Every structure is written in structure tokens, then in C-alpha cells.
Amino acid sequence: MTCVALAFSGGLDTTVCVPLLEEEYGYDDVIGVTVDVGQPAEEFDEAEETAEALGLDHYVVDARAEFAQLCLESVRANATYQGYPLGTALARPVIADAILEVAEEQDCTGIAHGCTGKGNDQLRFEAVWRSSDLEVIAPVRELGLTREWEKEYAAEKDLPVEGGSGGDWSIDTNIWSRSVEGDDLEDPNYVPSTEIYAWTEDPSDETEEIEISFENGYPVAVDGQEYEPVALIEHLNELAGSYGVGRTDMMEDRMLGLKVRENYEHPGATTLLSAHEALEGLVLTQEERQFKTQIDQQWSQKGYEGLIDAPLVSALESFIDETQQRVTGTVTIRFEGGQARPVARDSKFAAYSAEHASFDTETVGKIKQEDATGVAKYHGFQRRLANEAIAANADAEAVELATDGSGTGDDQ
């Protein structure tokens, strides 16, 4: 008897995969695995009801704590991709690991997902699964299915698929972000209504200030109250979302080269990333900040690709760990006009002296202001030499053209 484990959400794509894995791929048994990374409760209800209607053995794995910890690691790396926090990308390896573990426990010979051949998730899932001996199956990709075909097939088979906007849009939710794509949103010139948003209110004139505490680069408390990672993120999602923080409407470049229209909500992530970067600005030296930008970009790229366990990431995190030992302190964030804006920061590791930087003091420690005169004289010296050489050669060429007459007369 052959068995395949399916990444199961109860949505259209994964629902149609169940009979297809039996009919087209010859599997005797299909089990569904849903991994909890912070989806709404109704999604689990839908998955359970759909699995029951399909007669599908259904396993639910709670991976919220693991995923939340990875999200906080991404804060230390200031991780974004083309301007938005990595939510779906970071969740996929966590989900893939959990599904693989169930598949191996249940002696499955195959493991499957409902991703298309156009997106990123197929790559992120399979990067994890192909390290195993299980057969990797992607019915939607391999059979070239479209969403319209899936709807017709579901109707023909009387599959338990809910209608409404959930059947038109592709919505992915976890504790770090919520993404919405598909249907009218595929048109870059389409202006979506506010009904696509679930986590964020429209920005208003109301403001609020909160204080976020960090220890070694990890956010640990809000307004002095300590939180575990999951609770911290959920608290900030609700609070920042009420002020309209964390909406992104963008054209995203996927790994396969396609450009797609994406809408994201990420209020808590935006707040934490803004606060963390502000604290780094206070405690890290100029050279550390400049170099860490490169480290962060590489970490973010690997995170986007779903390759967070790559040896390169371990090497990058060695540098990140070293710098984060001083990223301890507090940042005051003001929610204002849909933004989470840092307005104050404090740390015992501050690489800053108010006395030295002040316009009201004459010296910088033992350094006098007039000591900067020599530096000012040298500053731009090569530029001045280069510009003088360019100007001198331009004048010489003008004289030569005037002397030989090549610069005058009618065109030949």
C-alpha cells in the first residue's frame, strides 16, 4: 500500500490534489498535513471540515514557536525583500520540515504540494524535501492546471471547496505577514478595495507611542511587559495594525524571473524592523553598519529563496551574532500616518556622546574644533586635481582645434 503526504490547507489547490494523487499518480492513501504558523482559526476549521468530507486522514502540527523564533532572527538581520518583510518565504521551510517529519513517521513513499510552476513556494518546499528519499509530487505544476480548471474539476467531483473571494484570491497568512494575490489583483493598474485587508485599518490622525526593549538584538518587551515571541508578534500585529501600519502593494520579482503584483500586510514585522534598525544605528560603528548592510542583504536573499539552512547563512549569522551583543536597549516607536516611526532610542552600548556632538560645546574630548582644519584641506584633494587635469586637457584640445582649422568651415 502506497501513501503520500500532502501539504494541505483545505483550499482549492490542495483539495483537488487529493483525488488527483489517487487517480493520476496511483497512490492508495493520501494523508493531509496542515502546519500551524499562525493562520486564523477558521482556516484550521476549514481544513478539518474539508479533510473530513474527503475522508482524508488529517494531521495538524503546531510550529508557531519555531516560526516566531525564525522571524525574530530575521529582525536581527533586518531581513526584507524588495522592501517588504519576509513572511511566506520564511514560513515555507518550517512548514516543509514539519510535513516531512509526519511523512516519515507515517511511512509515506511520497510527499506532495499544491504549488504552481510559476511561483516561489515550489522551490522552497522542495529544497527541504529533496534531501529525503521520498518521491516529490506537484500535481498542479506537473499537470499544468489552471484555477478555472480546478474550479470546474471541483464542481464535477462535488469537492468541498468554499466559494467567495477566498476562491478567487490566493491568501497566505502566518503570524509575520498576510499576502493576497490573484484575480483582479493581477492587474497592476487595478486599485484594490479595502476589503482585501484584514490586519490593518486605514490610517487616521490618531497616534500612539510605545517602547520596545531589545536584548542582544532580540525584541523581548513592549512598554516594559515581557512577551514570548509568538505573543509579542501577535500583540504588535493588533496594535500597529489598528494604526494602518504595514501595508505593501508592489510588483515583486520572483525567483523564476516572473514579475507579479503582490499585496502584503505586516504591521508587527514593520514595527520591529524599524525599531531594531534604529537601535543598531545608535550602537554600531559606521564601518559595522556599512558592512552589515551587505550581510543583511545576503541573509534576506537566502531567506527569500527558502535556503535559510545553507552554510552561507550560518557564516553570515556568525557576524550578525557578534554585532548583536551590543544591540541591547529601548526604542520608542510612534504610530503615525500608517508608519511606525522611531522617535527615541537608548542603550548602554551607544557609540554616541551627546556632549561631543553638541553645538554648545567647544571641543570633542581632547580634540579642538580647529584640529579639523587640516582634514578639511585634504578633503576632496583628489577631486580637485582630477577636475584641474580634465579642464586643462579640454582647453588644450580647444586650442589645437582652433589652430589646425579642423573646427571651422562647412561640413564636408
Coordinates of all heavy atoms in Angstrom, one line a residue, residues 279-339:
L279 N 17.9 51.1 16.7 CA 18.8 50.8 17.8 C 20.2 50.4 17.2 O 21.2 50.8 17.8 CB 18.3 49.6 18.6 CG 19.0 49.3 19.9 CD1 19.1 50.5 20.8 CD2 18.3 48.2 20.6
E280 N 20.3 49.7 16.1 CA 21.6 49.5 15.5 C 22.3 50.8 15.1 O 23.5 50.9 15.3 CB 21.4 48.6 14.3 CG 21.3 47.1 14.6 CD 21.5 46.3 13.3 OE1 21.3 46.8 12.2 OE2 21.8 45.1 13.5
G281 N 21.5 51.7 14.7 CA 22.1 53.0 14.3 C 22.8 53.7 15.5 O 23.7 54.5 15.3
L282 N 22.3 53.4 16.7 CA 22.9 54.0 17.9 C 24.1 53.3 18.4 O 25.0 54.0 18.8 CB 21.8 54.0 19.0 CG 22.2 54.6 20.4 CD1 22.5 56.1 20.3 CD2 21.1 54.3 21.4
V283 N 24.2 52.0 18.3 CA 25.2 51.3 18.9 C 26.3 50.8 18.0 O 27.5 50.5 18.5 CB 24.6 50.1 19.7 CG1 23.6 50.5 20.7 CG2 24.1 49.0 18.8
L284 N 26.1 50.6 16.7 CA 27.1 50.0 15.8 C 27.9 51.2 15.3 O 27.4 52.3 15.0 CB 26.4 49.2 14.7 CG 25.6 48.0 15.1 CD1 25.2 47.2 13.9 CD2 26.4 47.1 16.0
T285 N 29.2 50.9 15.0 CA 30.0 51.9 14.3 C 29.7 52.0 12.9 O 29.0 51.2 12.3 CB 31.5 51.4 14.5 OG1 31.7 50.2 13.7 CG2 31.9 51.2 15.9
Q286 N 30.2 53.1 12.3 CA 29.9 53.3 10.9 C 30.3 52.1 10.0 O 29.6 51.7 9.1 CB 30.6 54.6 10.4 CG 30.4 54.9 8.9 CD 31.1 56.2 8.5 OE1 32.0 56.6 9.2 NE2 30.7 56.7 7.4
E287 N 31.5 51.6 10.2 CA 32.0 50.5 9.4 C 31.2 49.3 9.6 O 30.9 48.5 8.7 CB 33.5 50.2 9.8 CG 34.5 51.3 9.5 CD 34.6 52.3 10.6 OE1 33.8 52.3 11.6 OE2 35.5 53.2 10.5
E288 N 30.7 49.0 10.9 CA 29.9 47.8 11.1 C 28.6 48.0 10.4 O 28.1 47.0 9.8 CB 29.6 47.7 12.6 CG 30.8 47.2 13.4 CD 30.6 47.2 14.9 OE1 30.1 48.2 15.4 OE2 30.8 46.1 15.5
R289 N 28.0 49.2 10.4 CA 26.7 49.4 9.8 C 26.8 49.2 8.3 O 25.9 48.6 7.6 CB 26.2 50.8 10.1 CG 25.8 51.0 11.5 CD 25.3 52.4 11.8 NE 24.0 52.7 11.2 CZ 23.5 53.9 11.2 NH1 24.1 54.9 11.7 NH2 22.3 54.0 10.6
Q290 N 27.9 49.7 7.7 CA 28.1 49.6 6.2 C 28.2 48.2 5.8 O 27.6 47.7 4.8 CB 29.3 50.5 5.8 CG 29.0 51.9 5.9 CD 30.3 52.7 5.5 OE1 31.4 52.3 5.6 NE2 30.1 54.0 5.1
F291 N 29.1 47.4 6.6 CA 29.3 46.0 6.2 C 28.1 45.2 6.5 O 27.8 44.3 5.7 CB 30.6 45.5 7.0 CG 31.0 44.2 6.4 CD1 31.7 44.1 5.2 CD2 30.8 43.0 7.1 CE1 32.2 42.9 4.8 CE2 31.2 41.8 6.7 CZ 31.9 41.7 5.5
K292 N 27.4 45.4 7.6 CA 26.3 44.6 7.9 C 25.1 44.8 6.9 O 24.3 43.8 6.7 CB 25.7 45.0 9.3 CG 24.7 44.0 9.8 CD 24.3 44.2 11.3 CE 23.4 43.2 11.8 NZ 22.0 43.3 11.2
T293 N 25.1 45.9 6.2 CA 24.1 46.0 5.1 C 24.3 44.9 4.1 O 23.3 44.3 3.6 CB 24.3 47.4 4.4 OG1 24.0 48.4 5.4 CG2 23.3 47.5 3.3
Q294 N 25.5 44.6 3.8 CA 25.8 43.5 2.8 C 25.4 42.2 3.4 O 24.9 41.3 2.7 CB 27.3 43.5 2.4 CG 27.8 44.8 1.8 CD 29.3 44.8 1.7 OE1 29.9 43.9 1.1 NE2 30.0 45.8 2.2
I295 N 25.8 42.0 4.7 CA 25.4 40.7 5.4 C 23.9 40.5 5.4 O 23.4 39.4 5.1 CB 26.0 40.7 6.8 CG1 27.5 40.8 6.8 CG2 25.5 39.5 7.5 CD1 28.2 39.6 6.2
D296 N 23.2 41.6 5.8 CA 21.7 41.5 5.8 C 21.1 41.2 4.5 O 20.1 40.4 4.4 CB 21.2 42.8 6.4 CG 21.5 43.1 7.8 OD1 22.0 42.1 8.5 OD2 21.4 44.2 8.3
Q297 N 21.7 41.8 3.4 CA 21.1 41.6 2.1 C 21.3 40.1 1.7 O 20.4 39.5 1.1 CB 21.8 42.5 1.1 CG 21.2 42.6 -0.3 CD 21.5 41.4 -1.2 OE1 22.6 40.9 -1.1 NE2 20.6 41.0 -2.1
Q298 N 22.4 39.5 2.0 CA 22.7 38.1 1.6 C 21.8 37.2 2.5 O 21.2 36.2 2.0 CB 24.1 37.8 1.9 CG 25.1 38.4 0.9 CD 24.9 37.8 -0.5 OE1 24.7 36.6 -0.7 NE2 25.0 38.6 -1.5
W299 N 21.6 37.5 3.8 CA 20.7 36.7 4.6 C 19.3 36.8 4.1 O 18.6 35.8 4.0 CB 20.7 37.2 6.0 CG 20.2 36.3 7.1 CD1 20.9 35.5 7.9 CD2 18.8 36.1 7.4 NE1 20.1 34.8 8.8 CE2 18.8 35.2 8.5 CE3 17.6 36.6 6.9 CZ2 17.6 34.7 9.0 CZ3 16.4 36.1 7.4 CH2 16.4 35.2 8.5
S300 N 18.9 38.0 3.7 CA 17.5 38.2 3.2 C 17.3 37.4 1.9 O 16.2 36.8 1.7 CB 17.2 39.7 2.9 OG 17.3 40.4 4.1
Q301 N 18.3 37.4 1.0 CA 18.1 36.7 -0.2 C 18.0 35.2 0.0 O 17.2 34.5 -0.6 CB 19.4 37.0 -1.1 CG 19.3 36.3 -2.5 CD 18.2 36.9 -3.4 OE1 17.9 38.1 -3.3 NE2 17.5 36.0 -4.1
K302 N 18.8 34.6 0.9 CA 18.7 33.2 1.2 C 17.4 32.9 1.9 O 16.8 31.9 1.6 CB 19.9 32.8 2.1 CG 21.2 32.7 1.4 CD 21.2 31.6 0.3 CE 21.8 32.1 -1.0 NZ 21.7 31.2 -2.0
G303 N 16.9 33.8 2.7 CA 15.6 33.7 3.3 C 14.5 33.7 2.3 O 13.6 32.8 2.4
Y304 N 14.6 34.5 1.3 CA 13.6 34.6 0.3 C 13.6 33.3 -0.6 O 12.5 32.8 -1.0 CB 13.9 35.8 -0.6 CG 12.8 36.0 -1.7 CD1 11.6 36.5 -1.4 CD2 13.1 35.7 -3.1 CE1 10.6 36.7 -2.4 CE2 12.2 35.9 -4.1 CZ 10.9 36.4 -3.7 OH 10.0 36.6 -4.7
E305 N 14.7 32.8 -0.8 CA 14.9 31.5 -1.6 C 14.5 30.3 -0.8 O 14.4 29.2 -1.4 CB 16.3 31.4 -2.1 CG 16.7 32.5 -3.0 CD 18.2 32.4 -3.3 OE1 18.9 31.6 -2.7 OE2 18.7 33.2 -4.2
G306 N 14.2 30.4 0.5 CA 13.9 29.3 1.3 C 15.1 28.4 1.7 O 14.9 27.3 2.1
L307 N 16.3 29.0 1.6 CA 17.5 28.3 1.9 C 18.1 28.8 3.2 O 19.3 29.0 3.2 CB 18.5 28.4 0.7 CG 17.9 28.0 -0.7 CD1 18.9 28.3 -1.8 CD2 17.6 26.5 -0.6
I308 N 17.3 28.9 4.2 CA 17.8 29.5 5.4 C 18.8 28.6 6.2 O 19.5 29.0 7.1 CB 16.6 29.9 6.3 CG1 17.0 31.0 7.3 CG2 16.1 28.7 7.1 CD1 17.2 32.3 6.6
D309 N 18.8 27.3 5.8 CA 19.8 26.4 6.4 C 21.1 26.2 5.6 O 21.9 25.3 5.9 CB 19.1 25.0 6.7 CG 18.7 24.3 5.3 OD1 18.7 25.0 4.3 OD2 18.5 23.1 5.4
A310 N 21.3 27.1 4.6 CA 22.5 27.0 3.8 C 23.7 27.3 4.7 O 23.7 28.1 5.6 CB 22.4 27.9 2.6
P311 N 24.9 26.7 4.3 CA 26.1 27.0 5.1 C 26.5 28.5 5.0 O 27.0 29.0 6.0 CB 27.2 26.2 4.3 CG 26.4 25.0 3.7 CD 25.1 25.6 3.4
L312 N 26.1 29.2 3.9 CA 26.4 30.6 3.9 C 25.6 31.3 5.0 O 26.2 32.3 5.6 CB 26.0 31.2 2.5 CG 26.0 32.7 2.4 CD1 27.4 33.2 2.6 CD2 25.4 33.2 1.0
V313 N 24.4 30.9 5.3 CA 23.6 31.6 6.3 C 24.3 31.4 7.7 O 24.3 32.4 8.5 CB 22.2 31.1 6.3 CG1 21.4 31.7 7.5 CG2 21.5 31.4 5.0
S314 N 24.8 30.3 7.9 CA 25.5 30.0 9.2 C 26.7 31.0 9.4 O 26.9 31.5 10.4 CB 25.9 28.6 9.3 OG 24.8 27.7 9.3
A315 N 27.4 31.2 8.2 CA 28.6 32.1 8.3 C 28.1 33.5 8.5 O 28.7 34.2 9.3 CB 29.4 31.9 7.0
L316 N 27.0 33.9 7.8 CA 26.5 35.3 7.9 C 26.1 35.5 9.4 O 26.3 36.6 9.9 CB 25.3 35.5 7.0 CG 25.6 35.4 5.5 CD1 24.3 35.4 4.7 CD2 26.6 36.5 5.0
E317 N 25.4 34.5 10.0 CA 24.9 34.7 11.3 C 26.0 34.8 12.4 O 25.8 35.3 13.5 CB 23.9 33.5 11.7 CG 22.6 33.7 10.9 CD 21.6 32.6 11.2 OE1 22.0 31.5 11.8 OE2 20.4 32.8 10.9
S318 N 27.2 34.3 12.0 CA 28.3 34.5 13.0 C 28.6 35.9 13.1 O 28.9 36.4 14.2 CB 29.6 33.7 12.4 OG 29.3 32.3 12.5
F319 N 28.6 36.7 12.0 CA 28.9 38.1 12.0 C 27.7 38.8 12.7 O 27.9 39.7 13.6 CB 29.0 38.7 10.6 CG 29.2 40.1 10.6 CD1 30.5 40.7 10.7 CD2 28.1 41.0 10.4 CE1 30.7 42.1 10.7 CE2 28.3 42.4 10.3 CZ 29.6 42.9 10.5
I320 N 26.5 38.4 12.4 CA 25.3 39.0 13.0 C 25.3 38.8 14.5 O 25.1 39.8 15.2 CB 24.0 38.4 12.4 CG1 23.9 38.9 10.9 CG2 22.8 38.9 13.1 CD1 22.7 38.2 10.1
D321 N 25.6 37.6 14.9 CA 25.7 37.3 16.4 C 26.7 38.2 17.1 O 26.4 38.8 18.2 CB 26.1 35.9 16.6 CG 25.0 34.9 16.3 OD1 23.8 35.3 16.3 OD2 25.2 33.7 16.1
E322 N 27.8 38.5 16.5 CA 28.8 39.3 17.1 C 28.3 40.7 17.2 O 28.5 41.4 18.3 CB 30.1 39.3 16.2 CG 31.3 40.1 16.8 CD 31.8 39.6 18.1 OE1 31.7 38.4 18.3 OE2 32.3 40.4 18.9
T323 N 27.7 41.3 16.2 CA 27.2 42.7 16.3 C 26.1 42.8 17.2 O 25.9 43.9 17.9 CB 26.8 43.2 14.9 OG1 25.7 42.4 14.4 CG2 28.0 43.1 13.9
Q324 N 25.2 41.8 17.4 CA 24.0 41.9 18.2 C 24.3 41.9 19.6 O 23.4 42.2 20.4 CB 23.0 40.8 17.8 CG 22.6 40.9 16.3 CD 22.0 42.2 15.9 OE1 21.0 42.6 16.4 NE2 22.7 42.9 15.0
Q325 N 25.5 41.5 20.1 CA 25.8 41.5 21.5 C 25.6 42.9 22.1 O 25.4 43.1 23.3 CB 27.2 41.1 21.7 CG 27.5 39.7 21.2 CD 26.5 38.6 21.7 OE1 26.3 38.5 22.9 NE2 25.9 37.9 20.8
R326 N 25.7 44.0 21.3 CA 25.5 45.3 21.8 C 24.2 45.9 21.4 O 23.9 47.1 21.8 CB 26.7 46.2 21.2 CG 28.0 46.0 21.8 CD 29.1 46.8 21.2 NE 29.5 46.2 19.9 CZ 29.6 46.8 18.8 NH1 29.4 48.1 18.7 NH2 30.0 46.2 17.7
V327 N 23.4 45.2 20.7 CA 22.1 45.7 20.3 C 21.1 45.4 21.4 O 20.2 44.6 21.3 CB 21.6 45.2 18.9 CG1 20.3 45.8 18.5 CG2 22.7 45.4 17.9
T328 N 21.3 46.1 22.5 CA 20.5 46.0 23.7 C 20.1 47.4 24.2 O 20.9 48.2 24.3 CB 21.3 45.3 24.9 OG1 21.6 43.9 24.5 CG2 20.5 45.3 26.2
G329 N 18.8 47.5 24.4 CA 18.3 48.9 24.8 C 16.9 49.0 24.4 O 16.1 48.0 24.3
T330 N 16.4 50.2 24.3 CA 15.0 50.5 24.1 C 14.8 51.5 22.9 O 15.7 52.3 22.7 CB 14.3 51.1 25.3 OG1 14.9 52.3 25.6 CG2 14.3 50.1 26.5
V331 N 13.7 51.3 22.2 CA 13.4 52.2 21.1 C 11.9 52.7 21.3 O 11.1 51.8 21.5 CB 13.6 51.6 19.7 CG1 13.1 52.5 18.6 CG2 15.0 51.2 19.5
T332 N 11.7 54.0 21.2 CA 10.3 54.5 21.2 C 9.8 54.6 19.8 O 10.4 55.3 19.0 CB 10.2 55.8 22.0 OG1 10.7 55.7 23.3 CG2 8.8 56.3 22.0
I333 N 8.7 53.9 19.5 CA 8.1 54.0 18.2 C 6.8 54.8 18.3 O 6.0 54.6 19.2 CB 7.7 52.5 17.7 CG1 9.0 51.8 17.4 CG2 6.8 52.6 16.5 CD1 9.7 52.2 16.1
R334 N 6.6 55.7 17.3 CA 5.3 56.4 17.2 C 4.6 55.9 16.0 O 5.1 55.9 14.9 CB 5.6 57.9 17.1 CG 4.3 58.7 16.9 CD 4.6 60.2 16.7 NE 5.2 60.7 18.0 CZ 5.9 61.8 18.1 NH1 6.1 62.6 17.0 NH2 6.4 62.3 19.2
F335 N 3.3 55.4 16.3 CA 2.4 55.1 15.2 C 1.8 56.3 14.7 O 1.0 57.0 15.4 CB 1.4 54.1 15.6 CG 2.0 52.8 16.1 CD1 1.7 52.3 17.4 CD2 2.9 52.1 15.3 CE1 2.2 51.1 17.8 CE2 3.4 50.9 15.8 CZ 3.1 50.4 17.0
E336 N 2.0 56.7 13.4 CA 1.6 58.0 12.9 C 1.4 57.9 11.4 O 2.4 57.5 10.7 CB 2.6 59.0 13.3 CG 2.3 60.4 12.9 CD 3.3 61.4 13.4 OE1 4.5 61.2 13.2 OE2 2.9 62.4 14.1
G337 N 0.2 58.2 10.9 CA 0.0 58.2 9.4 C 0.4 56.9 8.7 O 0.9 56.9 7.6
G338 N 0.1 55.8 9.4 CA 0.3 54.5 8.8 C 1.8 54.1 8.9 O 2.2 53.1 8.2
Q339 N 2.6 54.8 9.6 CA 4.0 54.5 9.8 C 4.3 54.1 11.2 O 3.7 54.5 12.1 CB 4.9 55.7 9.4 CG 4.6 56.2 8.0 CD 5.0 55.2 6.9 OE1 6.1 54.6 7.0 NE2 4.2 55.1 5.9

